[in-house]
Amino acid sequence: MNQGNVAPTAPLYSQLPYPGDGVVRTTSARILLEGLRERAPELLSRRPLWIADVGCGTGEATAGIARMLPQARVVGIDVNAASLELGRALAVRSKLDLTFVQADMTQPLGEALRRAGVSAREGRFDVITSMGVLHHLSDPAAGFARVREILREDGLFQVYVYSKFGRREVLQVRELLDRALPEGTFQDRARAVRSLRLSRKHTLWEGVRTLRKRLRFGPPLRFGEIVQVAMRRSRITHLSDTFSNPCEHSFLFDELFTIFARTGWAFAGLAKQGGLPTSAEEHTRDPRALELLKAMPQAALFDLLAFAHRAAGWTFFLRPTKIVA
Ligand SMILES: C[S@@+](CC[C@H](N)C(=O)[O-])C[C@H]1O[C@@H](n2cnc3c(N)ncnc32)[C@H](O)[C@@H]1O
C-alpha cells in the first residue's frame, strides 16, 4: 500500500506506519503547551487556535494536542495514506475532532489543504508542530520553507530533528547493518539489532539512565500512557524507524542555523522538558566546566549537550522572520 506516497521514506512507512501504537500521547503536546505559555502566550486565547501537525504519522501525538488544547482545531498532515487511515480510526475511538490531510511537505501545502476543505485563518495556522519529520526529507530545507508558508507571521513552530553527535552510535549500527545484511528486510535488520544486542538503548542499565534523565530533563512521564504504549508498541516498527530509515539526515546546530536564515526562521530556544538541559548551568555546577561552556558559541553548546546526554536530537521553537539571502 503506497498510494500517493512518493517520499523516499515510503518503503518503510507504507509497510510499518509510525508510531502505530494507537494510543493518544500527550508528551509533545505538553512540551508545546509550555513553549506557548513561555514564548507566545497571546496565541493561547485564540478561538479556535489553528494547529497543524506536519508529518503526523499515525496521529498519536496529533490526538494528544487536541486533548491538551481543547480550544484548538487540529489538522494532521502526512504523505503516507496508511498512516492517516490509522490516525482517523484513533480519532474516532478517542472521540476527538481531528482532520487528516494527505500531502507532501516538500511541495506547497496550501493547495492540498484547500482541496481538503481546510481554510485555517486565511490559509495559515497559528501553531505548527513537526516532530521527527524534517530529517527524513530528501531536502530538509525545502520542508522548513514549506512550513513557513502556512504559518502566520505571529505564529510558533515546534520542531524535533536529529543531532549528528547525539545520533553517532545509531549511525554506526546502521552502517554495520548495511554491510552485514545488504539485502536484509526491515524485519531481518530489527531482529539483528535485538538478538545481537547492537543497541545499548535496550539494556537494563541504559533503561535506568534514560529514566533518570527523563526525570531531570523531561519529557515529563505519564505512567498511564507509557504502560498503554508498552503494551501495544511494535518493536519492529520502532527499531526500523531508528536503524533502517531509507532517508535520514542528522545535523550540527550550525547547519540548522544556516537553514533557518535561508528559509525565514528565527531561533526561539530549545524546549524545556525536551530531553536536554537548555543552559550551561543546567548541565553542570563545576565552575571550570561552566566557564568553558559559557565561552562557546550557542550552536557548539547545543551539539555538546546532545553528545553528552546521548539525546538523538533536539526539540526547539522557531518564529517566522525575514529570509536572509
Ligand atoms: C518518524 S515519523 C514521525 C511521526 C509523528 N510526527 C510522531 O512523532 O509520532 C515521520 C513521518 O513523516 C512522514 N513524512 C515523510 N516524508 C514526508 C513528506 N515529504 N511529507 C509529509 N510527511 C512526510 C512519514 O510518512 C512519517 O509518518
Side-chain angles (χ1 to χ4, degrees):
M1 197 181 346
N2 194 6
Q3 182 196 352
N5 184 358
V6 294
T9 51
L12 172 64
Y13 295 122
S14 310
Q15 209 185 114
L16 300 166
Y18 183 93
D21 309 324
V23 172
V24 177
R25 299 222 49 192
T26 57
T27 309
S28 70
R30 279 177 286 135
I31 299 172
L32 174 62
L33 192 53
E34 174 151 342
L36 280 163
R37 286 197 183 118
E38 195 184 331
R39 293 161 221 278
E42 68 288 356
L43 295 180
L44 285 167
S45 52
R46 286 209 184 139
R47 299 287 185 280
L49 178 66
W50 281 95
I51 304 185
D53 182 1
V54 182
C56 63
T58 51
E60 286 77 351
T62 326
I65 297 169
R67 187 161 282 173
M68 292 298 293
L69 287 139
Q71 75 272 42
R73 290 279 303 273
V74 186
V75 180
I77 300 171
D78 203 284
V79 70
N80 191 42
S83 301
L84 297 174
E85 243 173 72
L86 291 172
R88 289 188 188 105
L90 174 64
V92 171
R93 271 204 315 281
S94 322
K95 301 190 172 48
L96 290 165
D97 186 13
L98 299 171
T99 304
F100 288 98
V101 177
Q102 188 181 12
D104 183 338
M105 72 178 299
T106 61
Q107 305 297 319
L109 290 166
E111 180 50 36
L113 288 164
R114 263 192 303 281
R115 259 189 278 119
V118 177
S119 54
R121 220 181 284 286
E122 295 118 30
R124 290 182 181 222
F125 291 87
D126 301 301
V127 177
I128 297 183
T129 176
S130 188
M131 301 293 280
V133 180
L134 286 142
H135 48 232
H136 291 312
L137 304 181
S138 47
D139 179 6
F144 277 96
R146 294 308 180 195
V147 169
R148 172 76 174 78
E149 289 165 0
I150 56 159
L151 185 68
R152 288 172 61 86
E153 292 304 309
D154 59 0
L156 189 71
F157 183 26
Q158 178 195 30
V159 202
Y160 173 89
V161 290
Y162 287 149
S163 145
K164 196 156 278 165
F165 285 123
R167 195 106 177 123
R168 70 202 185 286
E169 195 178 301
V170 165
L171 293 178
Q172 287 174 345
V173 175
R174 281 185 62 126
E175 207 180 313
L176 233 154
L177 291 170
D178 291 346
R179 294 186 58 181
L181 298 166
E183 306 295 331
T185 61
F186 294 124
Q187 284 77 2
D188 296 333
R189 291 169 65 104
R191 220 172 290 128
V193 173
R194 283 195 67 202
S195 54
L196 301 175
R197 296 175 191 223
L198 297 179
S199 165
R200 274 208 268 160
K201 248 186 171 181
H202 300 92
T203 62
L204 181 64
W205 170 238
E206 270 308 299
V208 173
R209 219 177 155 269
T210 306
L211 185 65
R212 280 179 50 203
K213 209 176 69 171
R214 276 201 66 172
L215 291 171
R216 207 167 145 210
F217 301 118
L221 295 159
R222 278 271 160 106
F223 283 104
E225 282 179 20
I226 290 173
V227 171
Q228 275 184 308
V229 168
M231 279 161 44
R232 300 186 54 127
R233 169 169 279 203
S234 151
R235 286 190 190 216
I236 291 190
T237 302
H238 285 263
L239 286 171
S240 301
D241 183 63
T242 304
F243 294 103
S244 306
N245 206 299
C247 180
E248 170 178 329
H249 302 266
S250 52
F251 302 91
L252 300 177
F253 221 91
D254 264 335
E255 294 167 346
L256 289 173
F257 276 135
T258 305
I259 293 178
F260 302 158
R262 289 209 188 119
T263 53
W265 293 107
F267 179 65
L270 289 186
K272 291 232 168 77
Q273 297 287 308
L276 280 173
T278 54
S279 65
E281 288 82 358
E282 278 179 70
H283 174 64
T284 180
R285 292 209 189 100
D286 174 345
R288 276 195 300 186
L290 258 180
E291 198 184 318
L292 275 170
L293 291 176
K294 287 185 155 176
M296 281 181 189
Q298 192 180 40
L301 172 66
F302 292 162
D303 289 335
L304 184 142
L305 293 178
F307 181 87
H309 293 270
R310 294 213 208 129
W314 316 267
T315 303
F316 51 87
F317 292 98
L318 299 174
R319 303 214 65 161
T321 187
K322 285 204 192 77
I323 294 174
V324 182

